Amino acid sequence: MKIVLNGESRAVRAKTLAELLQECGFSGRVATAVNEDFVPSSLRVSHKIKDGDRVEVVAPIQGG
């Protein structure tokens, strides 16, 4: 299926948000949104992604 991940089109095999994060190599603490709706980490395993979804993944960075 094709989705938009952080503004870039991407073909993926994942069926859930948790699978997508693993497939795309995201690890650690991240915030996720699908079609501009926040998805808490506890719901990622059950949150199904669909063709055309817009997914945003944001990781905190240290800085000063």
Side-chain angles (χ1 to χ4, degrees):
M1 98 175 71
K2 291 187 179 182
I3 63 163
V4 177
L5 177 63
N6 291 345
E8 295 183 16
S9 291
R10 180 174 253 192
V12 297
R13 289 190 271 162
K15 297 192 185 312
T16 67
L17 186 52
E19 290 174 1
L20 176 69
L21 293 175
Q22 185 175 20
E23 181 178 330
C24 295
F26 289 99
S27 61
R29 296 185 62 160
V30 295
T32 54
V34 177
N35 300 322
E36 299 183 8
D37 291 324
F38 174 73
V39 179
S41 60
S42 61
L43 298 179
R44 293 177 190 158
V45 172
S46 61
H47 189 95
K48 302 227 184 275
I49 54 173
K50 301 178 290 296
D51 196 49
D53 275 353
R54 297 184 60 82
V55 180
E56 296 293 327
V57 180
V58 181
I61 58 170
Q62 290 182 329

